[in-house]
Amino acid sequence: MQEKLNQNLISVIEKIEKARIATDRHRIVRLVAVSKYSTEEEIAALYACGQRAFGENKVQDLKTKSKILESLPLEWHFIGSLQSNKINALLSLNPFMFQSLHSLELAEQLQKRLQSENKSLRTLLQVNSAKETSKSGFMPEVAYEAYLEILESCPNIELVGLMSIGAHTQDRAVVQKSFETTHKIFEKLQNKGANTLSMGMSDDFELAISCGSNCVRLGSVLFK
Ligand SMILES: *Cc1c(COP(=O)(O)O)cnc(C)c1O
């Protein structure tokens, strides 16, 4: 298993590097290994290959896996849709980053909880750039204003950028358009402290990097 994961990781890093260098030699691209379909053993094996950042999309899974692996210095990203009744559970796990803040209502509830616990949480605003009803996140027209509003009214939410899932289609032009939409909003926010643009999954990460992503979230290509 270790050998296979190592080969997957090397091949993925080569592809990320190729896409990165073709677009922007000075950008650093973070790789978050999405472990939602993987076991603790697989995560530990990928860690042994040098991977540090992992992502989960369910609070319960993040809890179980991070507890079992707590002796390893892993960097956990929560990338799923957070229900308000799971806020406390997520905060108690002290994740490195919450990538998927999808509404003002959730921001308000999160702020309350963070404030009462005297904590802050590194967070990305999720943009539904392809405007798909199956996805959560802010519509692109309102994402910029919402970002500013949260910056102002939620001091314990440390907003550091945007996250988006590419359009769900085989049409590359449409996927590219969805990434470009998010990138445009990100550019406007760079003077407001936004430094992370999380876009790109197994099927579209090279395209996402060419559209400005500096954080890719990869599951199946790493753990296949
Ligand atoms: C599952 C998931 C990923 C990884 O998907 P793959 O196609 O397996 O790379 C990335 N981001 C989010 C939000 C996910 O839920």
Side-chain angles (χ1 to χ4, degrees), residues 34 36-37 57 79 163 165 201-203 217-221:
V34 176
K36 64 189 183 194
Y37 301 127
N57 69 340
I79 60 170
M163 182 276 242
I165 299 174
M201 305 179 18
S202 292
D203 288 333
R217 310 175 308 269
L218 306 183
S220 32
V221 271

Side-chain angles (χ1 to χ4, degrees), residues 5-215:
L5 288 176
N6 199 35
Q7 279 169 17
N8 292 352
L9 183 61
I10 288 170
S11 140
V12 160
I13 290 173
E14 279 172 2
K15 286 179 182 159
I16 291 173
E17 277 301 283
K18 208 169 158 208
R20 181 185 75 81
I21 287 165
T23 329
D24 178 359
R25 296 194 152 264
H26 301 291
R27 192 189 320 154
I28 291 169
V29 177
R30 186 193 291 270
L31 166 59
V32 176
V34 176
S35 50
K36 64 189 183 194
Y37 301 127
S38 308
T39 62
E40 292 82 22
E41 290 76 17
E42 289 171 308
I43 297 171
L46 196 60
Y47 164 79
C49 302
Q51 178 63 26
R52 292 291 178 279
F54 291 86
E56 286 287 334
N57 69 340
K58 298 213 169 69
V59 175
Q60 185 54 49
D61 293 347
L62 176 60
K63 182 173 180 176
T64 309
K65 292 175 184 174
S66 62
K67 284 266 146 63
I68 293 173
L69 297 165
E70 71 188 344
S71 63
L72 304 180
L74 304 181
E75 179 189 300
W76 287 105
H77 294 245
F78 186 73
I79 60 170
S81 182
L82 181 64
Q83 294 163 284
S84 47
N85 62 355
K86 299 281 167 61
I87 290 176
N88 292 353
L90 180 67
L91 294 185
S92 72
L93 301 174
N94 290 313
F96 176 81
M97 190 183 277
F98 170 41
Q99 292 213 357
S100 36
L101 178 56
H102 62 68
S103 74
L104 288 175
E105 191 188 7
L106 179 63
E108 227 171 83
Q109 290 167 328
L110 194 54
Q111 166 59 27
K112 264 191 207 142
R113 198 63 223 167
L114 285 165
Q115 192 169 7
S116 74
E117 293 188 16
N118 204 12
K119 277 184 178 176
S120 73
L121 181 63
R122 203 178 283 112
T123 298
L124 304 179
L125 191 85
Q126 184 173 354
V127 183
N128 187 352
S129 51
K131 302 188 175 189
E132 289 163 328
T133 49
S134 58
K135 282 179 194 146
S136 44
F138 291 85
M139 288 297 156
E141 297 81 14
V142 301
Y144 178 78
E145 288 301 327
Y147 195 100
L148 298 191
E149 186 172 337
I150 294 166
L151 271 187
E152 175 145 333
S153 59
C154 303
N156 297 63
I157 297 178
E158 190 197 336
L159 272 186
V160 293
L162 302 177
M163 182 276 242
S164 191
I165 299 174
H168 185 70
T169 166
Q170 297 299 329
D171 186 339
R172 304 303 277 179
V174 175
V175 180
Q176 180 168 341
K177 185 126 198 308
S178 68
F179 288 145
E180 287 170 350
T181 297
T182 314
H183 182 246
K184 273 195 200 117
I185 305 166
F186 176 68
E187 279 193 311
K188 283 210 292 177
L189 288 166
Q190 278 178 326
N191 65 356
K192 310 278 180 202
N195 56 41
T196 303
L197 179 56
S198 175
M199 306 192 298
M201 305 179 18
S202 292
D203 288 333
D204 56 22
F205 66 98
E206 289 148 300
L207 181 58
I209 291 169
S210 76
C211 295
S213 167
N214 64 11
C215 177

